[in-house]
Amino acid sequence: MGLIVWRLLSPYWAGQFLDRWCTKTMRSKIEPMKKVARMLRGHRPLLLNWFRARGQLSSGVVEGFNTKAKLTSRKSFGFRTYRGAEIALYHALAALPEPEFTHKFC
């Protein structure tokens, strides 16, 4: 498939290219490639969204959230319950307000 599909500008033609590639791949005898083709077919509408947005959107924000979630998960190994880790993720990803403390630390 290569990089050629990202040079196509129209969602219609990108969809046609993707469909043809998946059909040819499913006819091959290479099982790992068939697995990729099935995955791409399952995510077809999401892949074509990039073409509908005309490449103006980046996945950088999503990657940033994923990194922040992984970091918070690593920090939360000390929590005793799943609920504690879940609350930590809510605070890290949603920037929820912290509760007021009875006294201030220096």
Side-chain angles (χ1 to χ4, degrees):
M1 190 153 80
L3 298 175
I4 193 167
V5 72
W6 301 115
R7 292 185 189 154
L8 301 171
L9 297 177
S10 166
Y12 174 79
W13 290 114
Q16 291 295 318
F17 180 84
L18 184 63
D19 293 340
R20 281 193 311 265
W21 185 86
C22 288
T23 301
K24 287 180 184 179
T25 304
M26 291 304 288
R27 290 179 183 159
S28 76
K29 295 181 181 180
I30 307 170
E31 197 55 42
M33 292 301 289
K34 286 182 176 183
K35 186 177 178 182
V36 171
R38 283 190 288 272
M39 185 264 309
L40 290 175
R41 280 183 175 168
H43 294 289
R44 184 183 190 277
L46 297 174
L47 289 168
L48 295 181
N49 279 344
W50 188 86
F51 294 97
R52 287 186 192 95
R54 300 191 186 274
Q56 295 177 0
L57 300 177
S58 171
S59 62
V61 174
V62 175
E63 293 300 326
F65 271 123
N66 285 342
T67 302
K68 206 170 191 182
K70 286 179 189 176
L71 179 63
T72 303
S73 295
R74 270 190 256 133
K75 288 181 188 177
S76 68
F77 280 129
F79 292 122
R80 295 180 181 187
T81 64
Y82 172 78
R83 182 74 178 140
E86 184 180 16
I87 290 171
L89 282 169
Y90 284 141
H91 277 283
L93 297 177
L96 296 176
E98 296 288 331
E100 292 291 326
F101 292 105
T102 55
H103 66 282
K104 294 185 180 195
F105 297 98
C106 296

